[in-house]
Amino acid sequence: SASAKLQLYRKNRTNMGKDKGEKKDTFVYVHDKEFAWVPATLIETKGDKAVVSIPKYANEQAIVSDGGRSGKGVEERTVNLKDYPHKVLPLQNVDGKGNLHQYADMVHLPYLHEAGILYNLKNRHMNGNPYTRTGDIVIAVNPFKWFNDLYTEQKRVFYSNRLVWNDTDKDAREGMDPHVYEVSSLSYKGLAFGGNDQSILVSGESGAGKTETVKICMNHMASVQKGPGKAGDSGLDPVVQRVVDSNPLLEAFGNAKTRRNDNSSRFGKYLQLQFDNSEAGLMNFGNKTESKCKLAGSTCEVYLLEKSRIVAHDPEERTYHVFYQLLAAPDSEKARFWTKLKGCNNKSFKYVGHTDTTKIEGQSDGEHFANTVKTLDLINIRGDKLVAMMRAICAVLQLGNLGFNAKNGDADKSAVATIEELRDLAELMGVEEKDLTLAFTERTMKTKTEEYKVPLNAVAAKDACDALAKEIYGKLFLWLVSEINTATCAEDNYKNGSMSNFGIIGLLDIFGFESFVVNRFEQLCINYANEKLQQKFTEDIFRSVQTEYEAEGIELAEIWYDDNTDVLDLIEGRTGLLALLNEECVRPQGSDQAFVQKALQVNNASQCLIVNKMDRMSFGIHHYAGKVMYDADQFVSSNQDTLPTDLSDLCSMSTNFVIANEMAKVEAANMTRGTPRRQKSNLVAPTAWGKYKTQLLSLMTNLRKTESRYIRCIKPNMKKVPVLMEHIPTVEQLRCAGVVAAVTLSRSAFPNRLDNSVVRYRFSNMWDSKVFPSKRNSSMTPDESLRADIEAIMSCALKSKEEVDEKGRVKKAFVVGKTRTYFRAGALEFLESNRLENGLDAPAMTLQKYARGFLVRKNWMKNIEAAREEERKRKEEADRVSREKKERKEAAKRKKQAEEARRMREEKEAKERADREVREKKAAAERKRRERAENEAREREEADFQEQLDKLKSKIRGMESSLEAKRKDNDKKISKAEKEVDEIEAEKNELDAKHKKMMEEAAKIPKKDIAANKKKIEESDKIVNYLRKENKKVRDQTEKMKDDLQELKEQNNRLIEANASAGASLDSLEKQKKNLSTHNEKLEENLKKYKAQNAQLKSDLANRNAYYKAETKIRSEYETTMEKIVEILEERCNDTKLIEDVNAAHHQCEVIASHRAGDGSPGLASSDVSDF
């Protein structure tokens, strides 16, 4: 009401000025055991202690930097400032109300520290922004769902055009959201336009999305290299397509399901994309209409495949995908590789076993197998080569099913317990059962002078079996990588192998730093690789900081940072862990415990080595990411990465070329490696760590030749669900990824920085210009004048923070750069906490005066508007009452008109019904007459058709009998003529022979007998001529008979066609008869239906008439009663509101009745009355 608003206005006037002394809150972060960092508000500071107010939130996901507004209560806590760097609590990056400012590039964070990074990433993650930039580093937080809008073709083209093909004088990334595409685009630009080889280093723990990120980068690189264009450009070159499509093969053979990730890479991979940049220099001269730096091929190097997973894995995990894919293939496919594989499943092989996982990345193992075989065909693994590879995999599976027991009760000897499994394995490998048994149960030992056999117990025999399985699969994996490289390398496949020099963009997908409850040899190797990569990462960050400080004009002496040289010396130094472990592997009685004790003794001076006095088999290392304790069990055996000669010789005898050739390559490599003389014994061979170190050094050498860019992948929660971010795992990953170390390095001297314009705006009130005058003058540029002012402002505001060193030199708490001001630790926090207490009271009071005056005037205007609104509503109500009375009168008039119209409509409808009944009767009579006529006509037609059909059939039978008689007669004549011809021919031949004989005899007759014989010859000629004439006549008769026969055949064909036509006509008549019969049935059905409808219409009409009569009577009685009620109320009732309500109800009933009457429906139902 207006009075309540007036009271509120007076209360506001009364409270004016009460909060003149209010103080702005200082929002900070504090350590928390459960959530790592939590937001808080600083209440007060007492020496080394600080009192803070911490909001309570419903759960971890609800914890945000919002000034505590979404919290449920607060908790006061006293914290020890000694636990924080420089005894200062880290400030939140928030506005005056405590709302977090989100930054896409964390370089611009005013307060850059671990807590600030955590909450900035969390805010972006919750808002669906998986990528965040920190200078040249892109942090990719796994969203655990696919954002279609982030990876469209339009988005790819946008980033490539903006960052590669468009010219700009500024940083092209300004105004662009961080994305993996920017890393791939800038890498391509650095190679194409800068001519420098590039590398992209992708790291993160299992499940953080490393492999997916590498695929996204590679696919975008294939898109960028096509040149500037628009979305929807034509597809990829076949060579490029092969490079892109071959990558999933490594996932099938090298990825497995773990507790953390369903598709975890269990090996390191360095993929080198090869580009033809021979003409790339032309683009530097402005020719950017097409790409001159084309993707030509790729090569891949792999590191440290997790072989132990082949023979054993956690019950909640799986071995490598390809085993499950092969077993899920159709039986026809499995039988093609090995007939006994048909009908087998996961439980058939001990290395595989049961799994509850049925799909990986949305596809079943069977679907993945089809894709794997298709991709293998793409790299020319098909036919016999494919069968050999699959049989090698089957051999690995079969090795897991072998069992051993004591031989004849002797525990020191062993025998194969599963003979059938042994036979199957021998068949798969193509070796003799005897050789296979000896290789597993005996070991050949060699010395300089002799060679002898040593029996193995059942445990050692099974270990040998597992070792062979790991070796075969490991070499199979390397063979597959080699085949992929052969199919995709540019040296062999690009321009028919005519080029050898290519530009390189490397993609490194390698395991992140690992720290588990139990850490073994594999974790030490992985963390060693991460230490090497962290060393390069630190060097690159130092160079970027160095470039920034030089650009701002700040001395580099201010930078300090910790490197990890001491950790690397401990691991790879001359007396480091690597050398000592290799030495222990050489020693005949080398053991894990001896290695640990020797390592602790030799390196006792190292600050990075941790001694575990409670366990002689363990030690620890202070890695850059934190402390890790290692269990040395199996260190020596894991490092002895060699296969006994018995097993390697067995593989060399195999008829499977994949097994035999790869083992032969290993033996050849060992022969050419140039190992020390004492390593000629089969007891010693190159160690796993030694080979891994060589690979790693080669990798680091190649990386240092490139310009490196970094993508740090973060797994936000262990539940693998969207939106959720768990603080402690995320912070640990930020540390392991080196992000926190990079921040520490970049802010080592000056943790905080602000733009110069911001500094003058925010802290100018703390400047006493008389005591600290500015050195600006008219000759300075605006930027120089700004720096001079800031120098004076900061000298005044931070006078108390100045320090004096041993030489008496003053060390200020700030440095003013060309565009930014840099603050030492604690300086910016000091300014923020004091700028509102010194010199802002008067300006604040002025602001409050005008603000409160504005609010009072605003409230007063609201009260006036409310009074006006009330007056307007009163007038509207009076108008409404008057309008309703008028409407009631009009309703009564409309009611009478409606009644009259209804009466006329009913009369009209009755007349129409009568006319319709007459028409229907006539139509029914006409329909019956027409149906009778149609039936009679149909019967006559059927009789005519039947008569015609009988005549045709009779005629056909007559023609057929006549045709048959003529055919038989013709056959007889032809047979007789042919016989006569044959006789005449025979007679002619006989006469010819006689004539010839007579001529021969005539030649012998003397001349005196010639005259006598001449007469005989003439007579013979006459006979021959006569016979010839007769023969011609017979031939002519034969030809005539043939013509007659042909004519008879044609007549026969015409009769057959006539018969077929008559049959078709008969069929047509039958169909027509059926159609007429069907039509007649439909007519009869429709007639019955119309009769039933007519009866129903008559019944409905009678009911409707009765209903209308009853309704009319009810309505009349209701109106009479209602009018009496209204009259009684108007005469006797003093309550005007009741009278108005009854009139309104009456009026509404009349409107409803009138409306229904207009629709031809009953006017007023019982439900209508009950509403009032």
Side-chain angles (χ1 to χ4, degrees):
S1 66
S3 59
K5 294 177 181 177
L6 183 59
Q7 291 176 2
L8 179 62
Y9 164 71
R10 290 173 177 172
K11 182 178 179 181
N12 290 336
R13 292 287 297 171
T14 302
N15 291 334
M16 285 182 60
K18 279 189 177 181
D19 50 355
K20 290 181 180 179
E22 66 183 7
K23 179 180 178 181
K24 182 179 178 180
D25 293 328
T26 301
F27 299 103
V28 296
Y29 293 109
V30 295
H31 285 301
D32 187 84
K33 293 182 180 179
E34 186 177 1
F35 303 124
W37 293 96
V38 294
T41 303
L42 180 64
I43 299 176
E44 62 177 339
T45 302
K46 299 178 182 178
D48 291 338
K49 305 289 183 181
V51 180
V52 296
S53 173
I54 303 176
K56 295 180 179 180
Y57 294 91
N59 50 52
E60 184 175 29
Q61 185 64 10
I63 301 175
V64 292
S65 294
D66 63 350
R69 284 184 296 279
S70 62
K72 299 179 179 179
V74 295
E75 172 194 356
E76 236 180 62
R77 185 186 301 177
T78 301
V79 297
N80 190 349
L81 295 178
K82 293 181 180 179
D83 298 334
Y84 298 85
H86 308 289
K87 298 181 180 181
V88 176
L89 295 175
L91 294 176
Q92 300 181 32
N93 297 290
V94 296
D95 58 17
K97 295 182 179 180
N99 296 317
L100 183 71
H101 279 301
Q102 177 180 296
Y103 289 86
D105 191 341
M106 292 195 293
V107 164
H108 300 132
L109 283 175
Y111 314 113
L112 185 57
H113 41 68
E114 185 178 272
I117 294 173
L118 171 65
Y119 279 87
N120 191 69
L121 289 177
K122 181 177 182 178
N123 186 269
R124 290 182 60 78
H125 177 62
M126 292 171 64
N127 292 332
N129 299 309
Y131 299 116
T132 305
R133 190 186 302 119
T134 303
D136 291 331
I137 307 169
V138 171
I139 300 175
V141 180
N142 192 342
F144 293 114
K145 64 179 180 180
W146 187 259
F147 293 108
N148 290 321
D149 58 314
L150 284 181
Y151 307 104
T152 61
E153 184 64 25
Q154 290 81 359
K155 187 75 73 173
R156 291 185 187 184
V157 172
F158 170 73
Y159 274 87
S160 59
N161 286 348
R162 178 84 175 268
L163 298 176
V164 179
W165 306 111
N166 295 345
D167 294 323
T168 179
D169 296 331
K170 303 185 299 182
D171 185 352
R173 297 177 300 172
E174 288 185 11
M176 298 182 71
D177 289 332
H179 203 294
V180 170
Y181 289 164
E182 80 179 43
V183 180
S184 52
S185 296
L186 293 175
S187 296
Y188 179 81
K189 185 176 183 179
L191 174 65
F193 295 98
N196 300 321
D197 288 345
Q198 306 286 310
S199 60
I200 301 174
L201 280 63
V202 183
S203 64
E205 75 163 53
S206 179
K210 301 186 298 296
T211 302
E212 193 64 34
T213 299
V214 169
K215 287 192 288 187
I216 293 171
C217 278
M218 187 169 66
N219 287 323
H220 185 238
M221 210 86 69
S223 175
V224 174
Q225 59 89 33
K226 292 190 293 185
K230 299 178 181 179
D233 284 353
S234 58
L236 300 177
D237 179 83
V239 176
V240 178
Q241 192 68 48
R242 195 181 309 157
V243 172
V244 175
D245 291 345
S246 62
N247 189 60
L249 271 184
L250 296 177
E251 292 186 24
F253 286 81
N255 287 25
K257 178 198 173 183
T258 66
R259 286 179 178 267
R260 297 185 175 185
N261 183 11
D262 287 350
N263 191 29
S264 174
S265 298
R266 308 314 300 162
F267 66 102
K269 175 179 62 179
Y270 185 49
L271 180 66
Q272 297 181 350
L273 300 178
Q274 300 170 301
F275 290 82
D276 176 9
N277 60 344
S278 56
E279 298 180 358
L282 297 176
M283 294 191 295
N284 288 321
F285 298 100
N287 184 16
K288 293 186 177 182
T289 56
E290 60 177 332
S291 173
K292 298 294 184 181
C293 184
K294 294 288 187 180
L295 181 59
S298 71
T299 60
C300 182
E301 296 178 11
V302 293
Y303 308 94
L304 204 65
L305 178 70
E306 187 184 18
K307 294 182 182 178
S308 60
R309 183 171 293 272
I310 300 165
V311 299
H313 57 83
D314 187 280
E316 297 295 324
E317 300 182 349
R318 303 204 317 176
T319 184
Y320 292 105
H321 293 328
V322 68
F323 294 116
Y324 301 91
Q325 294 177 11
L326 176 59
L327 294 173
D331 282 343
S332 59
E333 281 288 297
K334 290 192 285 189
R336 183 162 69 100
F337 305 133
W338 183 33
T339 55
K340 293 189 178 181
L341 196 62
K342 187 176 181 181
C344 293
N345 55 33
N346 296 338
K347 295 181 181 179
S348 303
F349 299 97
K350 295 180 180 179
Y351 283 167
V352 181
H354 173 71
T355 177
D356 292 327
T357 303
T358 58
K359 289 189 175 183
I360 299 293
E361 294 189 341
Q363 287 189 320
S364 66
D365 292 319
E367 292 170 333
H368 278 298
F369 179 77
N371 294 333
T372 299
V373 172
K374 182 180 179 181
T375 310
L376 286 170
D377 181 78
L378 191 67
I379 60 169
N380 301 319
I381 297 181
R382 62 176 75 94
D384 293 340
K385 189 183 288 189
L386 176 63
V387 172
M389 184 190 74
M390 290 300 177
R391 287 179 69 86
I393 295 174
C394 293
V396 174
L397 291 173
Q398 192 64 19
L399 282 165
N401 289 352
L402 287 187
F404 300 88
N405 55 19
K407 185 176 182 180
N408 300 324
D410 188 350
D412 293 332
K413 298 180 181 180
S414 61
V416 179
T418 52
I419 302 301
E420 187 63 30
E421 303 288 354
L422 181 71
R423 291 196 186 98
D424 293 340
L425 179 61
E427 176 195 346
L428 284 168
M429 294 184 64
V431 296
E432 296 294 332
E433 289 183 39
K434 180 181 178 182
D435 295 334
L436 197 59
T437 302
L438 293 176
F440 287 136
T441 57
E442 293 181 355
R443 186 66 65 245
T444 301
M445 311 300 289
K446 295 179 181 179
T447 64
K448 291 183 179 179
T449 59
E450 61 180 338
E451 176 180 317
Y452 55 94
K453 300 280 188 179
V454 176
L456 301 178
N457 60 30
V459 175
K462 184 59 180 173
D463 290 342
C465 181
D466 291 343
L468 180 60
K470 291 190 286 187
E471 192 68 15
I472 290 177
Y473 191 81
K475 296 302 180 287
L476 171 68
F477 185 69
L478 294 178
W479 172 80
L480 176 65
V481 173
S482 175
E483 291 294 311
I484 292 175
N485 288 339
T486 301
T488 60
C489 69
E491 290 84 356
D492 297 335
N493 298 283
Y494 184 70
K495 292 185 177 180
N496 298 321
S498 60
M499 291 181 61
S500 58
N501 294 324
F502 297 93
I504 299 296
I505 297 180
L507 292 164
L508 180 65
D509 174 9
I510 202 163
F511 11 69
F513 186 86
E514 292 188 351
S515 177
F516 303 128
V517 176
V518 178
N519 300 285
R520 300 196 183 277
F521 179 76
E522 289 82 3
Q523 277 69 50
L524 181 57
C525 291
I526 288 171
N527 293 341
Y528 169 49
N530 278 274
E531 288 286 355
K532 298 291 288 185
L533 293 172
Q534 179 64 21
Q535 184 183 45
K536 183 180 187 308
F537 179 65
T538 304
E539 293 171 357
D540 292 342
I541 296 299
F542 177 80
R543 280 196 292 271
S544 67
V545 174
Q546 180 182 12
T547 302
E548 179 186 354
Y549 279 27
E550 288 177 349
E552 291 288 338
I554 300 174
E555 295 182 4
L556 294 175
E558 298 285 358
I559 306 177
W560 63 270
Y561 66 95
D562 291 329
D563 60 14
N564 58 344
T565 305
D566 48 354
V567 180
L568 291 173
D569 288 341
L570 172 63
I571 297 175
E572 63 181 8
R574 294 185 61 182
T575 59
L577 301 179
L578 171 60
L580 294 175
L581 182 58
N582 287 340
E583 182 179 328
E584 202 63 25
C585 292
V586 173
R587 201 164 61 85
Q589 299 298 324
S591 66
D592 300 322
Q593 185 173 340
F595 157 67
V596 174
Q597 297 307 312
K598 189 180 295 183
L600 295 176
Q601 182 180 0
V602 174
N603 297 283
N604 59 352
S606 175
Q607 298 296 319
C608 301
L609 186 64
I610 303 173
V611 180
N612 186 358
K613 296 181 180 180
M614 303 298 294
D615 186 1
R616 296 175 61 83
M617 283 287 289
S618 69
F619 64 94
I621 299 177
H622 285 281
H623 288 286
Y624 74 92
K627 300 177 182 178
V628 180
M629 297 302 298
Y630 295 95
D631 186 347
D633 185 32
Q634 300 297 319
F635 260 48
V636 173
S637 60
S638 297
N639 194 37
Q640 291 174 334
D641 187 28
T642 182
L643 198 66
T645 54
D646 302 84
L647 296 178
S648 60
D649 292 343
L650 175 71
C651 292
S652 300
M653 293 186 291
S654 173
T655 57
N656 188 313
F657 76 91
V658 175
I659 298 175
N661 292 354
E662 289 305 305
M663 292 300 176
K665 289 179 183 178
V666 174
E667 292 300 320
N670 290 338
M671 294 293 292
T672 59
R673 190 176 278 108
T675 54
R677 186 177 185 83
R678 63 176 180 171
Q679 290 189 358
K680 287 183 179 179
S681 169
N682 70 330
L683 295 173
V684 179
T687 62
W689 201 338
K691 290 188 285 186
Y692 182 53
K693 179 184 178 183
T694 302
Q695 279 186 312
L696 197 56
L697 291 176
S698 174
L699 172 64
M700 299 310 299
T701 300
N702 291 334
L703 290 178
R704 285 191 167 87
K705 295 177 182 178
T706 66
E707 182 181 344
S708 299
R709 303 179 189 277
Y710 296 90
I711 301 175
R712 295 307 196 221
C713 298
I714 303 296
K715 184 179 181 180
N717 62 79
M718 300 300 112
K719 299 175 183 177
K720 296 183 284 188
V721 297
V723 181
L724 176 65
M725 177 172 282
E726 296 172 349
H727 292 190
I728 290 179
T730 303
V731 168
E732 289 176 349
Q733 290 176 74
L734 290 172
R735 293 170 183 166
C736 294
V739 176
V740 176
V743 170
T744 303
L745 172 59
S746 63
R747 301 292 178 93
S748 58
F750 305 102
N752 303 310
R753 62 197 70 185
L754 289 175
D755 290 342
N756 287 339
S757 58
V758 175
V759 172
R760 182 168 65 177
Y761 174 78
R762 294 180 69 174
F763 304 115
S764 58
N765 63 295
M766 302 176 71
W767 180 26
D768 187 348
S769 58
K770 295 181 180 178
V771 180
F772 296 90
S774 174
K775 296 181 180 180
R776 64 187 301 176
N777 55 57
S778 58
S779 62
M780 291 182 175
T781 63
D783 289 340
E784 291 173 343
S785 300
L786 178 61
R787 290 200 297 274
D789 289 346
I790 293 174
E791 185 75 34
I793 293 171
M794 291 294 99
S795 297
C796 176
L798 294 173
K799 180 66 177 178
S800 60
K801 302 291 287 185
E802 291 180 354
E803 298 177 0
V804 180
D805 61 12
E806 297 176 352
K807 296 182 180 181
R809 291 176 299 189
V810 177
K811 185 177 181 182
K812 294 186 177 182
F814 69 95
V815 172
V816 181
K818 294 180 180 178
T819 62
R820 295 174 179 171
T821 301
Y822 295 79
F823 299 92
R824 297 189 189 279
L828 188 56
E829 290 82 354
F830 172 81
L831 292 173
E832 290 289 348
S833 62
N834 287 278
R835 73 186 183 94
L836 299 180
E837 297 179 358
N838 301 301
L840 282 187
D841 285 348
M845 289 173 64
T846 302
L847 290 174
Q848 289 176 2
K849 178 180 69 175
Y850 286 107
R852 289 193 172 102
F854 168 75
L855 293 175
V856 169
R857 288 191 296 273
K858 184 177 179 181
N859 288 336
W860 180 252
M861 292 303 298
K862 284 183 179 179
N863 293 337
I864 293 174
E865 288 295 328
R868 290 175 179 171
E869 182 67 17
E870 289 180 1
E871 180 64 21
R872 184 184 61 78
K873 289 182 178 179
R874 188 184 63 77
K875 289 182 178 180
E876 287 181 353
E877 182 66 19
D879 293 341
R880 184 185 64 79
V881 172
S882 176
R883 187 171 58 253
E884 287 178 352
K885 289 182 179 180
K886 185 177 179 181
E887 288 175 351
R888 281 197 297 273
K889 292 179 180 180
E890 292 177 352
K893 183 178 179 181
R894 286 195 301 272
K895 178 182 176 183
K896 292 180 180 179
Q897 293 174 350
E899 285 292 333
E900 183 65 21
R902 184 178 63 79
R903 185 183 59 76
M904 294 175 65
R905 186 171 59 253
E906 289 176 353
E907 292 176 355
K908 184 180 179 181
E909 288 175 354
K911 184 178 180 182
E912 289 176 351
R913 280 195 299 272
D915 295 341
R916 186 168 59 250
E917 289 176 357
V918 173
R919 287 195 303 273
E920 288 176 353
K921 288 179 180 180
K922 290 182 179 179
E926 179 63 23
R927 189 164 54 252
K928 289 179 180 180
R929 186 190 61 76
R930 190 168 56 252
E931 287 175 357
R932 282 196 302 271
E934 288 176 353
N935 290 334
E936 292 174 357
R938 184 169 62 252
E939 290 174 358
R940 286 195 299 271
E941 289 177 358
E942 288 178 357
D944 293 341
F945 287 145
Q946 187 64 37
E947 185 179 354
Q948 293 176 11
L949 180 62
D950 294 339
K951 289 180 180 180
L952 286 171
K953 287 182 179 179
S954 176
K955 185 177 180 181
I956 289 170
R957 284 194 296 270
M959 294 173 71
E960 286 178 348
S961 59
S962 175
L963 179 64
E964 181 65 20
K966 289 182 179 181
R967 186 181 64 77
K968 289 180 180 179
D969 186 40
N970 289 335
D971 288 343
K972 289 179 181 179
K973 290 180 179 180
I974 291 168
S975 177
K976 182 179 179 181
E978 287 177 348
K979 186 175 180 180
E980 291 177 354
V981 170
D982 291 339
E983 290 176 354
I984 293 170
E985 287 289 341
E987 187 177 354
K988 176 180 175 295
N989 292 335
E990 184 179 354
L991 291 173
D992 288 339
K994 289 180 180 180
H995 179 263
K996 184 177 180 181
K997 185 176 180 181
M998 289 172 65
M999 292 298 292
E1000 290 175 355
E1001 291 177 354
K1004 297 178 183 179
I1005 297 173
K1007 291 182 179 180
K1008 61 181 180 178
D1009 296 331
I1010 291 174
N1013 291 331
K1014 186 174 181 182
K1015 188 176 180 180
K1016 294 181 180 179
I1017 291 170
E1018 291 175 354
E1019 292 176 355
S1020 297
D1021 288 338
K1022 290 179 180 179
I1023 294 170
V1024 169
N1025 290 333
Y1026 172 76
L1027 291 174
R1028 283 177 178 171
K1029 290 179 181 178
E1030 291 297 325
N1031 188 20
K1032 184 179 179 183
K1033 290 179 181 179
V1034 172
R1035 288 187 182 223
D1036 292 340
Q1037 290 178 356
T1038 301
E1039 290 296 328
K1040 185 177 180 182
M1041 292 176 70
K1042 286 182 179 179
D1043 293 338
D1044 293 340
L1045 178 61
Q1046 183 64 31
E1047 184 178 355
L1048 288 173
K1049 287 182 178 179
E1050 291 176 355
Q1051 290 178 358
N1052 188 24
N1053 290 334
R1054 284 196 295 272
L1055 289 172
I1056 291 171
E1057 290 175 357
N1059 188 20
S1061 176
S1065 299
L1066 183 60
D1067 292 340
S1068 176
L1069 290 172
E1070 288 291 336
K1071 289 181 181 178
Q1072 188 173 2
K1073 180 180 177 182
K1074 290 180 180 180
N1075 290 337
L1076 290 172
S1077 178
T1078 304
H1079 180 66
N1080 190 23
E1081 290 175 358
K1082 288 183 179 179
L1083 289 174
E1084 289 178 354
E1085 290 176 0
N1086 290 335
L1087 180 60
K1088 292 179 181 179
K1089 189 187 297 182
Y1090 293 149
K1091 287 180 179 179
Q1093 291 177 353
N1094 191 22
Q1096 183 64 35
L1097 285 171
K1098 289 180 179 179
S1099 177
D1100 290 345
L1101 180 60
N1103 293 334
R1104 185 58 60 93
N1105 285 333
Y1107 184 77
Y1108 279 149
K1109 290 177 181 178
E1111 182 64 26
T1112 302
K1113 184 177 181 181
I1114 292 171
R1115 188 183 304 167
S1116 177
E1117 292 176 355
Y1118 167 76
E1119 290 172 356
T1120 304
T1121 304
M1122 198 67 195
E1123 288 175 357
K1124 290 180 179 179
I1125 291 172
V1126 172
E1127 290 176 358
I1128 292 170
L1129 282 174
E1130 289 177 348
E1131 291 175 359
R1132 302 179 183 180
C1133 184
N1134 296 325
D1135 190 346
T1136 56
K1137 187 175 184 304
L1138 177 59
I1139 295 172
E1140 290 179 357
D1141 290 341
V1142 172
N1143 284 329
H1146 182 203
H1147 172 67
Q1148 191 168 357
C1149 290
E1150 290 176 347
V1151 172
I1152 294 173
S1154 175
H1155 173 69
R1156 294 192 175 182
D1159 292 340
S1161 57
L1164 189 65
S1166 59
S1167 59
D1168 300 324
V1169 179
S1170 63
D1171 293 339
F1172 305 103

